Amino acid sequence: MSNEGAQAMYAQREGLQAPLRDGREGRSLSSAANVTFGPRGSSLAQGPPPGSFNSDLKTIPSSRGGTPRFEQGPFFADYRPADDERTSEQRQTELRDQINKETKIRTGSENLLEALISKNAKQSKDQRMRVEAELGSSNRKIIELRSQLEKEIEHSRRPKTPPRDRTSGLFQGSPLKSPQRNDGDIQAGFLATEKVESPTYILSDILQALENEGMQPDFYVERANRLVDLFKKYPSLKYDLAWPIFGLRVQTMLLSQSRDVVAAGYRVTRHAIADRRSLQTIRGLNTDELVMLSLVKDSKANIEREQALKFVRAFLDVKGGVHELSNPVLRTLVSVAEHHDDRLRNMSILTLLELLVRKPSAVIASGGMASLTESLLDGNYQGSESLASSLLYLFDKPGDRRYLKSCHVLDAAFTIFTDPIAVHVSEEKLKSSARLITALLSSWPGLFTAANDGFAALRGLLQSLSYPSLLARDLVFDILFAVLRIKAPSWSSSFLAGRRLTTYGRVANLSTETTTAPSPPNLEENEECRVRLTEHYTAMLLVVLLQSGLHQALSNIIQEEPESALQRKAALLQGEVLQMANRLLPYSFSAKFQVVPRLVIPIGLLPTDTPLTQINMVYQVDSVSRTLHRSQGDTRYASAIMKRSKPHHTVPTHSLDSTKLKVDIDMDEIRFRAAVAETQILNHIKHIKWNWDLIEDLVEGPLKNPRRLSEAISGTKFLKRLLGFYRPFKYRFSDTPSTKMNQRYLRIGVSLMKTLLQNSEGIAYLSESKFLRQLGECLAQLDRTSGLTSNSPLFSPWRTSETLTGGYFSLLGALSSDPKGLQMIERWHMVNIFYHIIELNDRHDLVELLLGNMDFTLDSHLRVMLSKALTASYKHIRIFATGLLRKYATLAPSSVNGSRSRSSVCEWAIRLLVTQLYDPDVEVSEVAVQILEESCNRKSHLEYVVQCRPQLDHLNEIGAPLLLRFLSTSLGYQYLDRLDYITQEMDDWFSLRNYRYVTLVEASLTRAFAALMQEPARTDPNEPLRPQDYGSLPPHFYRELTRTQEGCDLLRDSGHFDDFVATITETWTEGADPEGLVKMKGCMWAVGNIGSMELGASFLEESDVVNWIVKIAEHSEVTTLRGTAFFVLGLISRSLHGMEIVVEHGWDAATDQSGRSIGYCLPQQLDVFFSRQKHRFRSIREEWAPRPITDDDAVHEHVLSLVGDTANAVLAKKAANDLNRQVRDLLGSHNFRLPVRRFLLDLFDKSVMRRIVLDEEESENESIQTQRPTQPRPRLS
């Protein structure tokens, strides 16, 4: 930050007003005199109505800030207004904003101070003093604001009147109420009444109150809210409603002149829905006409329109409720969806999409397909992925494809990229189409849709890379990176910026990182980590793209765009594709694609004046490939291995930047003294003036040398001042804010502890220093039995959360990893204090800091402390402590000295986890089961878990995955056989769970592909549960059973495999029944899991089931069934005999360098796999065309003709001028734009609508009056 920028910042700072000390908003009593009230029934706060939706499908928060307040004096210190909860949240938000602003000012001051330090001291003395004064002022203000925030939070936690329901506040009516009618008093009275009166009596009382006519709208809205609260509290009450009485009250509210009352009527009716029979009763009240009238109103009736739409959506939540939605209501919904400027358009489209999946014929009959297709193509609907998913649902089954006009409905998503003219549209439409294409290529129906006409759509997409639109080309690259699941490496940004890959020693750094990575585990012991269905699907998609011209398109860009970011992006993608082809594809496929076209050309064939661009780019692609190999290593072993080996310490990981000069550990004395002087520790006391980068290099380098460490201790004050910075009572490290930039202090402190523990002189110096003594005294302040107290303890909740004080536990954790460090901890009686910290009921943050940072590798009192936390603490502490055991239970056995100690650590952790299986809380047991299941990936760990003989009957489904792992060994099989578990589980899987497995796999794939369109939520690195590995194959009972010979014998005797084969061979052509499809997929998954084992592959040889699965994969008309067969064939190819059988049926299997199958197989003839029978798409007008409405009367016929002409944009104006009669039946049989539909319904008088709804007879006087010239009627509102 420059001096000018700092001065401008301070000038702006001095112009700010000081925050109010009492935390109020600064409103005085005089401001109330200027408040003007609107008409009754309106809102004081201008803005969107509460509870309404915006265009992004989100709820707009309502504002209640219209009530004036007075300035609080000293006599009103504890006063809070009626909306205390909302006001307290506002004050907390304001205080946090002020704290953030002051924190930014403080950060800028620190940066400026560091810059001024490097200048001439005399020239910058005044500026430095000013900055230091400003820094002190910021610190004081931050402390003051935090104190106010703590008081406000404490006050908000005091018990107060239960808040009203958010939805109930939606219909508060007019804010202008008399003081006697307090909402809190009414609510309290209502709750008190409920305690002494039955709900039936309260219901009758409310209904009787609704009989009163001529009351203010607030009266009816209040009773309606009470009625909704009653339905929520007593859900069974709506099953015993007297609909003749209740329905009449609802009709009266829906016919009210007040929009709030009508909205409340819809809300009450929606909460009174119980089942399909109640829906039929509600429709008998003629609510369809009322809903149509409400939906076509203008924006002034947003609350009423929103509640009407919610009422329609409530039909979808009832079993069979979609059949009760009438065609006129759906056509009105379509009109709203077609109106681009309507606020409810997105929610209407979403409703039509849900209905399209449940009852597509209703959407087709109402003309909604055209509006959905238009929304798909215009790119303005933000939920294009969900829209595409609903349409792809119809593409899956042949019985549902008849609802579509053509199989090329979704091809229009590619048009915006393939058309050279359309590619220059707005950026938002291009991005929407890119998301849509990504969604299409991430599902089997979408991939088969893109395969029409020999993948013409994909060929056009790849050809668009040659168009001049830079944005479109970047989006196409983003699509390719997303669908191929390619994550950009860490060095990609520098490479795309034009730097060489060898710049600053990047390759050397990558090599170092690769050597420190853990060695890949044995495949037999960790086989589950390799079963990834998403990679199998990616292999198929990669072949499709390569055959569609991906290599050619990338080569053209590399050749035609020299020295550009686009060329480097193409080279990066080319290297990734070549690497993926070598890793995922069978040899017969990868051999063809490893030759890069147009780049490898004999030099003799090139013209003499042509630059050797091809040679340069071949070198660059090869360099990218080699760098990717170094950075990724062997990616077959899943990145989950690295995740599981992450420590639970809160110390941030740090790797030295290769651009930094690394200090030699064998530095001589002269250079060491010069480096120590350069750190500025000997010249300045303030730590912000120190060179911390050089300090870190010295701590991790020369100080590990005993000579240099001895010199730093006795020859200079370097180590004394550095260690003194961490002393608690100096309040330097402990008062440092916990920011990302300041984490280096903690990182260096941990490195310093480890460095001192490596040398005897360092151990002696650390044990005799004041650091540990003062830290022990501060910890003793937390121990109630120590007798030490403090008004401002070091480990207060605010300090541990906002400063680096919590980092002291990381420093103690570094000491606990060494026996000498443990002796230092025990010398100052810290272990006893740790036991008392575990017992603190109000400091769970300290307990988590303590447990999360200690190292339990050594057998010490710390293990006893952890055992106590596992069994005698609160639930969330037990869950947290159980999650810490994963680090130790999944340790890989090492071949170096100490492997026995590692084994003993694993056994200790496994014993504790087995104990946690019997925890009274199921959530704790679930965490233990998942960690044990992960530990059982190694055979040695699995056998030890079986030796512990855990009892899992009380966990039911939670313990099932762990018991399945026991079947992998003969020891586990015998243990489960004695418990009579195997036969019961086999019957359960054969009858039910085998079909639930289908849902589990498809849900896992859906979540894995959904992550391509949206960034997944970040998980806490200290989360005890490992994140769900979506896209991988879940454990299957029959697969684990066939790992042993005993299991194979049991399966052969049961005859289940023969039943699976019979189901596949007899019913594979009957794909229309959903239950039959699930049964077919379940049987195929069972056969595939059995065939994936070497012992289970013998069952495949005894039957011809693989031939039938190949037929399903190549000839089934259900695309998802083909996809399941594709995955099953890959699963079968994992075994040696299974791979031979698959190859005999015309499929190739991918293998690794040692010739073992990796479980990915592809058909040799892709055109056969993607071929489908041409389906005849029925014309929509043939089956669902609206019936024409005619009349024998010539006048009536003319009126009907005019109404029909309003649907024509050319004749609408003339027809509207000539239309003078009332029509209603025609609205339910034709499509109209929303303004036209609103115009037609506004022609009806309110009295006419009352007669229609209440079925009243028209009186004679009214008949005579209707013959007279009618007066202009007001519009319905």
Side-chain angles (χ1 to χ4, degrees):
M1 179 182 294
S2 63
N3 296 338
E4 294 79 2
Q7 294 172 2
M9 178 182 65
Y10 295 141
Q12 181 182 6
R13 164 77 178 271
E14 295 185 7
L16 296 176
Q17 295 181 358
L20 297 177
R21 293 303 182 95
D22 55 358
R24 307 295 178 258
E25 297 178 353
R27 299 180 182 176
S28 62
L29 187 61
S30 61
S31 63
N34 299 324
V35 177
T36 58
F37 296 93
R40 191 170 183 84
S42 63
S43 176
L44 291 177
Q46 299 296 328
S52 57
F53 297 100
N54 61 5
S55 58
D56 297 334
L57 308 182
K58 297 179 181 179
T59 303
I60 299 177
S62 59
S63 176
R64 304 180 186 177
T67 304
R69 295 185 299 174
F70 58 90
E71 187 74 23
Q72 297 182 8
F75 297 98
F76 298 91
D78 296 332
Y79 172 77
R80 292 292 186 272
D83 55 344
D84 178 66
E85 182 179 2
R86 183 185 67 84
T87 309
S88 178
E89 292 178 356
Q90 282 187 344
R91 294 195 213 94
Q92 294 177 26
T93 303
E94 293 174 359
L95 289 173
R96 288 191 177 95
D97 292 341
Q98 295 178 15
I99 291 174
N100 293 335
K101 184 180 297 184
E102 294 293 338
T103 303
K104 292 179 181 179
I105 294 176
R106 183 180 62 183
T107 304
S109 302
E110 292 176 351
N111 296 336
L112 181 59
L113 188 60
E114 291 182 1
L116 294 176
I117 291 173
S118 60
K119 293 184 178 181
N120 192 341
K122 295 182 179 180
Q123 296 179 358
S124 60
K125 181 179 180 181
D126 296 337
Q127 294 180 350
R128 197 163 59 242
M129 293 177 60
R130 183 181 177 186
V131 173
E132 290 177 353
E134 192 64 34
L135 183 61
S137 175
S138 298
N139 290 329
R140 288 192 298 271
K141 289 188 177 182
I142 290 175
I143 295 174
E144 181 181 355
L145 290 172
R146 283 172 176 167
S147 176
Q148 295 182 16
L149 180 60
E150 289 181 358
K151 293 180 180 179
E152 191 62 44
I153 294 175
E154 181 182 0
H155 185 276
S156 63
R157 293 175 179 174
R158 295 178 183 176
K160 43 185 169 293
T161 305
R164 299 177 60 185
D165 185 56
R166 184 186 67 86
T167 318
S168 302
L170 183 64
F171 308 104
Q172 291 183 354
S174 173
L176 193 60
K177 299 180 180 180
S178 59
Q180 288 78 10
R181 295 180 57 195
N182 193 327
D183 291 342
D185 297 339
I186 295 174
Q187 185 77 3
F190 173 58
L191 296 176
T193 304
E194 287 181 320
K195 295 180 180 179
V196 297
E197 296 177 346
S198 65
T200 307
Y201 181 81
I202 298 175
L203 176 63
S204 61
D205 186 23
I206 296 175
L207 294 179
Q208 185 177 1
L210 291 175
E211 291 182 2
N212 300 329
E213 297 182 0
M215 305 297 292
Q216 293 294 331
D218 289 349
F219 178 84
Y220 301 104
V221 171
E222 177 191 333
R223 268 64 183 179
N225 290 338
R226 292 176 58 186
L227 199 56
V228 171
D229 294 337
L230 189 65
F231 286 147
K232 289 182 178 180
K233 188 172 184 179
Y234 303 101
S236 60
L237 191 63
K238 55 188 175 183
Y239 291 94
D240 301 327
L241 287 176
W243 278 102
I245 301 176
F246 182 80
L248 182 61
R249 304 295 179 268
V250 168
Q251 287 179 319
T252 305
M253 296 183 67
L254 295 179
L255 291 170
S256 174
Q257 296 289 342
S258 173
R259 301 188 183 99
D260 291 344
V261 176
V262 176
Y266 283 122
R267 183 166 177 256
V268 170
T269 310
R270 173 163 55 90
H271 283 85
I273 297 175
D275 48 21
R276 185 175 179 181
R277 184 177 178 181
S278 63
L279 289 177
Q280 295 172 352
T281 305
I282 291 173
R283 287 195 61 198
L285 302 176
N286 297 319
T287 55
D288 290 351
E289 287 77 7
L290 295 170
V291 170
M292 294 165 56
L293 176 63
S294 297
L295 288 177
V296 300
K297 288 185 178 181
D298 53 15
S299 59
K300 295 180 180 179
N302 278 332
I303 295 181
E304 177 183 344
R305 299 179 70 234
E306 179 183 329
Q307 290 299 320
L309 182 57
K310 288 183 177 181
F311 172 71
V312 174
R313 288 182 56 83
F315 282 60
L316 304 178
D317 299 332
V318 180
K319 184 178 181 180
V322 292
H323 302 289
E324 298 300 329
L325 287 172
S326 63
N327 190 269
V329 173
L330 292 180
R331 286 184 179 274
T332 308
L333 205 61
V334 171
S335 300
V336 178
E338 291 176 348
H339 196 58
H340 294 274
D341 298 331
D342 198 283
R343 293 179 61 257
L344 299 181
R345 177 175 181 263
N346 288 334
M347 292 305 300
S348 300
I349 293 175
L350 184 62
T351 305
L352 292 175
L353 289 177
E354 296 180 16
L355 189 62
L356 182 65
V357 175
R358 300 188 183 186
K359 191 180 179 183
S361 60
V363 179
I364 302 299
S366 60
M369 202 64 193
S371 63
L372 293 179
T373 306
E374 181 184 0
S375 302
L376 180 67
L377 300 181
D378 62 9
N380 294 325
Y381 180 64
Q382 297 186 0
S384 57
E385 298 89 349
S386 60
L387 204 159
S389 301
S390 301
L391 294 177
L392 290 175
Y393 179 81
L394 300 183
F395 274 97
D396 184 23
K397 302 175 185 177
D400 294 336
R401 294 185 199 131
R402 65 191 183 96
Y403 297 113
L404 302 173
K405 282 186 176 181
S406 171
C407 61
H408 299 281
V409 173
L410 295 175
D411 289 352
F414 297 87
T415 305
I416 195 171
F417 288 99
T418 57
D419 189 354
I421 300 177
V423 78
H424 297 286
V425 297
S426 64
E427 178 180 355
E428 187 61 32
K429 289 188 177 181
L430 282 173
K431 291 183 178 180
S432 178
S433 299
R435 293 193 302 267
L436 180 58
I437 294 174
T438 304
L440 291 179
L441 298 180
S442 301
S443 65
W444 285 112
L447 186 58
F448 275 91
T449 302
N452 294 329
D453 302 330
F455 296 99
L458 287 178
R459 295 180 187 276
L461 180 66
L462 295 176
Q463 290 175 2
S464 66
L465 289 173
S466 61
Y467 295 161
S469 177
L470 183 61
L471 176 62
R473 298 163 87 178
D474 284 338
L475 289 176
V476 173
F477 273 111
D478 293 341
I479 292 173
L480 296 175
F481 274 98
V483 298
L484 293 177
R485 307 179 68 83
I486 298 175
K487 293 183 179 180
S490 58
W491 45 265
S492 61
S493 59
S494 300
F495 172 71
L496 295 177
R499 299 177 183 175
R500 296 179 58 190
L501 292 176
T502 55
T503 303
Y504 309 119
R506 292 182 183 274
V507 177
N509 189 31
L510 292 173
S511 303
T512 304
E513 293 177 0
T514 306
T515 56
T516 58
S519 58
N522 189 358
L523 292 178
E524 295 181 357
E525 294 187 357
N526 202 8
E527 192 174 6
E528 288 295 334
C529 296
R530 297 193 303 131
V531 187
R532 297 196 59 84
L533 302 179
T534 50
E535 288 194 354
H536 195 187
Y537 180 86
T538 303
M540 171 60 77
L541 185 58
L542 179 62
V543 172
V544 169
L545 290 174
L546 289 175
Q547 291 198 352
S548 299
L550 178 59
H551 265 328
Q552 187 70 28
L554 296 179
S555 300
N556 292 338
I557 294 178
I558 292 174
Q559 198 171 25
E560 297 171 1
E561 301 285 343
E563 300 300 329
S564 65
L566 199 65
Q567 181 197 44
R568 289 177 169 269
K569 186 177 290 188
L572 179 61
L573 182 58
Q574 189 84 281
E576 292 275 7
V577 167
L578 292 175
Q579 188 180 15
M580 290 179 62
N582 183 47
R583 180 171 59 91
L584 300 178
L585 302 185
Y587 178 76
S588 59
F589 287 91
S590 61
K592 296 185 298 183
F593 299 129
Q594 291 298 327
V595 179
V596 183
R598 298 187 61 184
L599 291 184
V600 183
I601 302 177
I603 299 179
L605 300 181
L606 292 174
T608 56
D609 57 345
T610 302
L612 298 181
T613 307
Q614 290 87 348
I615 302 300
N616 295 333
M617 292 313 302
V618 166
Y619 169 76
Q620 196 169 40
V621 171
D622 178 67
S623 179
V624 169
S625 300
R626 286 187 285 106
T627 308
L628 286 172
H629 179 73
R630 285 174 179 150
S631 60
Q632 295 177 0
D634 194 352
T635 55
R636 291 194 187 102
Y637 299 105
S639 60
I641 307 288
M642 297 293 296
K643 295 179 182 178
R644 293 169 190 169
S645 61
K646 287 183 180 179
H648 290 276
H649 297 316
T650 57
V651 182
T653 57
H654 174 69
S655 60
L656 290 177
D657 195 333
S658 58
T659 63
K660 230 190 301 184
L661 180 62
K662 295 185 178 180
V663 182
D664 188 7
I665 190 174
D666 296 327
M667 181 184 297
D668 57 19
E669 182 179 355
I670 299 177
R671 291 172 54 195
F672 178 72
R673 287 182 175 273
V676 169
E678 190 177 350
T679 60
Q680 302 296 323
I681 290 182
L682 304 180
N683 300 330
H684 302 283
I685 298 178
K686 295 183 178 180
H687 66 279
I688 59 176
K689 300 180 181 181
W690 297 351
N691 187 350
W692 284 97
D693 293 334
L694 183 56
I695 293 174
E696 184 175 10
D697 292 339
L698 291 176
V699 170
E700 296 182 353
L703 288 182
K704 294 182 179 180
N705 189 327
R707 292 184 178 179
R708 303 286 83 83
L709 179 62
S710 176
E711 183 178 352
I713 293 175
S714 58
T716 65
K717 295 183 179 180
F718 173 79
L719 199 59
K720 178 181 179 181
R721 290 190 176 181
L722 180 59
L723 192 59
F725 167 73
Y726 294 96
R727 282 167 53 182
F729 288 160
K730 286 198 173 183
Y731 295 101
R732 300 167 70 184
F733 174 78
S734 58
D735 279 356
T736 304
S738 180
T739 61
K740 184 178 180 180
M741 179 181 178
N742 293 336
Q743 292 298 318
R744 59 178 179 175
Y745 302 140
L746 177 58
R747 184 174 61 247
I748 295 174
V750 173
S751 300
L752 179 63
M753 296 296 111
K754 294 181 179 180
T755 300
L756 293 176
L757 290 174
Q758 294 179 8
N759 188 277
S760 59
E761 189 172 355
I763 295 174
Y765 180 79
L766 182 61
S767 60
E768 298 298 333
S769 66
K770 297 180 180 179
F771 168 72
L772 291 177
R773 182 169 66 251
Q774 292 182 5
L775 184 57
E777 183 177 346
C778 293
L779 289 173
Q781 297 174 1
L782 302 172
D783 187 1
R784 297 185 177 94
T785 63
S786 64
L788 295 178
T789 59
S790 174
N791 294 329
S792 58
L794 182 69
F795 293 96
S796 62
W798 178 82
R799 283 182 174 274
T800 54
S801 61
E802 300 295 334
T803 66
L804 294 179
T805 303
Y808 282 115
F809 290 99
S810 299
L811 304 182
L812 292 175
L815 295 176
S816 65
S817 61
D818 188 90
K820 298 294 184 179
L822 282 175
Q823 292 179 4
M824 298 181 195
I825 294 176
E826 293 176 355
R827 175 187 176 185
W828 299 105
H829 308 287
M830 295 186 190
V831 176
N832 297 334
I833 301 175
F834 290 164
Y835 280 111
H836 294 118
I837 291 178
I838 296 296
E839 298 174 352
L840 294 177
N841 299 330
D842 55 344
R843 294 302 307 274
H844 296 161
D845 56 332
L846 280 180
V847 178
E848 293 183 358
L849 280 174
L850 175 61
L851 296 177
N853 288 282
M854 292 297 110
D855 193 326
F856 303 99
T857 304
L858 300 176
D859 190 4
S860 63
H861 281 283
L862 296 180
R863 288 189 177 184
V864 182
M865 178 189 69
L866 179 62
S867 301
K868 181 179 180 180
L870 289 169
T871 56
S873 299
Y874 287 95
K875 182 183 73 172
H876 71 278
I877 297 296
R878 299 201 307 273
I879 294 176
F880 180 81
T882 305
L884 296 176
L885 292 175
R886 188 212 299 147
K887 171 187 174 182
Y888 307 98
T890 57
L891 285 175
S894 177
S895 58
V896 299
N897 294 334
S899 60
R900 177 57 191 166
S901 61
R902 279 200 170 194
S903 177
S904 62
V905 172
C906 294
E907 293 176 358
W908 163 78
I910 289 174
R911 288 194 301 269
L912 290 180
L913 288 171
V914 171
T915 305
Q916 293 303 98
L917 296 176
Y918 312 109
D919 192 276
D921 199 291
V922 180
E923 296 182 16
V924 180
S925 303
E926 187 176 2
V927 177
V929 167
Q930 294 194 13
I931 299 176
L932 285 174
E933 182 186 356
E934 184 179 345
S935 178
C936 288
N937 288 332
R938 304 187 182 278
K939 187 176 180 180
S940 58
H941 296 176
L942 173 60
E943 292 179 350
Y944 187 77
V945 173
V946 175
Q947 291 177 6
C948 294
R949 306 174 66 86
Q951 300 292 332
L952 302 175
D953 296 340
H954 62 289
L955 296 179
N956 298 327
E957 295 292 334
I958 297 177
L962 183 58
L963 291 176
L964 287 181
R965 293 299 180 94
F966 290 0
L967 293 173
S968 304
T969 61
S970 299
L971 181 63
Y973 181 90
Q974 296 172 4
Y975 170 68
L976 295 178
D977 190 31
R978 288 192 295 267
L979 298 177
D980 198 20
Y981 165 81
I982 299 178
T983 55
Q984 296 179 6
E985 191 72 7
M986 177 179 286
D987 295 338
D988 190 16
W989 272 81
F990 181 76
S991 59
L992 181 61
R993 297 181 64 179
N994 195 35
Y995 311 120
R996 291 181 181 176
Y997 186 83
V998 177
T999 306
L1000 180 62
V1001 173
E1002 293 182 353
S1004 176
L1005 285 172
T1006 302
R1007 290 292 300 272
F1009 289 126
L1012 300 179
M1013 280 74 74
Q1014 57 185 357
E1015 188 70 19
R1018 296 183 180 271
T1019 56
D1020 187 2
N1022 293 328
E1023 180 69 23
L1025 287 176
R1026 64 180 177 92
Q1028 179 69 26
D1029 198 6
Y1030 295 113
S1032 60
L1033 191 68
H1036 197 284
F1037 172 79
Y1038 290 101
R1039 183 183 186 188
E1040 305 298 330
L1041 187 66
T1042 51
R1043 289 180 182 270
T1044 59
Q1045 187 61 43
E1046 297 90 342
C1048 292
D1049 296 338
L1050 180 62
L1051 178 62
R1052 184 173 284 105
D1053 296 338
S1054 65
H1056 289 181
F1057 186 83
D1058 297 334
D1059 292 336
F1060 296 148
V1061 174
T1063 302
I1064 295 174
T1065 57
E1066 294 175 2
T1067 62
W1068 75 274
T1069 57
E1070 303 173 3
D1073 184 15
E1075 296 182 0
L1077 280 177
V1078 173
K1079 186 176 182 181
M1080 171 74 67
K1081 293 177 182 179
C1083 294
M1084 285 196 297
W1085 280 117
V1087 171
N1089 279 280
I1090 293 173
S1092 64
M1093 296 289 100
E1094 292 295 340
L1095 296 177
S1098 59
F1099 290 90
L1100 303 177
E1101 298 177 350
E1102 300 172 0
S1103 63
D1104 196 23
V1105 66
V1106 177
N1107 183 33
W1108 289 100
I1109 296 177
V1110 171
K1111 288 183 179 180
I1112 294 174
E1114 296 179 352
H1115 303 290
S1116 177
E1117 288 299 314
V1118 182
T1119 56
T1120 54
L1121 194 61
R1122 283 194 181 191
T1124 301
F1126 173 80
F1127 289 133
V1128 169
L1129 289 174
L1131 203 56
I1132 291 175
S1133 67
R1134 298 175 68 83
S1135 62
L1136 180 60
H1137 296 293
M1139 182 176 63
E1140 295 175 354
I1141 297 175
V1142 168
V1143 172
E1144 291 177 358
H1145 287 83
W1147 288 56
D1148 283 343
T1151 57
D1152 57 9
Q1153 296 178 354
S1154 60
R1156 291 177 298 186
S1157 174
I1158 60 177
Y1160 308 143
C1161 66
L1162 298 173
Q1164 296 178 357
Q1165 299 179 352
L1166 284 180
D1167 53 348
V1168 176
F1169 180 78
F1170 287 103
S1171 63
R1172 287 190 298 178
Q1173 296 180 0
K1174 293 185 177 181
H1175 185 78
R1176 179 181 177 271
F1177 294 88
R1178 301 183 185 180
S1179 176
I1180 298 178
R1181 297 187 179 274
E1182 295 178 1
E1183 188 172 353
W1184 293 287
R1187 296 176 310 216
I1189 299 178
T1190 59
D1191 198 296
D1192 296 336
D1193 192 304
V1195 177
H1196 293 178
E1197 183 69 24
H1198 178 63
V1199 171
L1200 297 177
S1201 177
L1202 290 176
V1203 175
D1205 290 343
T1206 56
N1208 191 322
V1210 180
L1211 304 176
K1213 185 176 180 179
K1214 184 178 182 301
N1217 294 332
D1218 296 340
L1219 188 61
N1220 294 319
R1221 296 292 305 270
Q1222 302 174 358
V1223 286
R1224 180 174 63 90
D1225 296 337
L1226 201 60
L1227 297 179
S1229 59
H1230 286 77
N1231 286 338
F1232 300 89
R1233 292 184 178 88
L1234 186 61
V1236 177
R1237 184 177 289 270
R1238 183 183 296 125
F1239 165 73
L1240 294 175
L1241 288 177
D1242 282 350
L1243 294 175
F1244 289 93
D1245 192 12
K1246 197 66 177 179
S1247 60
V1248 178
M1249 185 58 65
R1250 173 178 289 273
R1251 291 195 301 269
I1252 293 174
V1253 174
L1254 300 179
D1255 294 329
E1256 297 177 356
E1257 294 294 332
E1258 184 179 7
S1259 62
E1260 181 179 355
N1261 295 333
E1262 291 176 343
S1263 300
I1264 296 175
Q1265 292 178 1
T1266 55
Q1267 297 177 5
R1268 302 175 183 175
T1270 58
Q1271 299 295 330
R1273 295 185 300 269
R1275 294 170 58 90
L1276 293 175
S1277 57

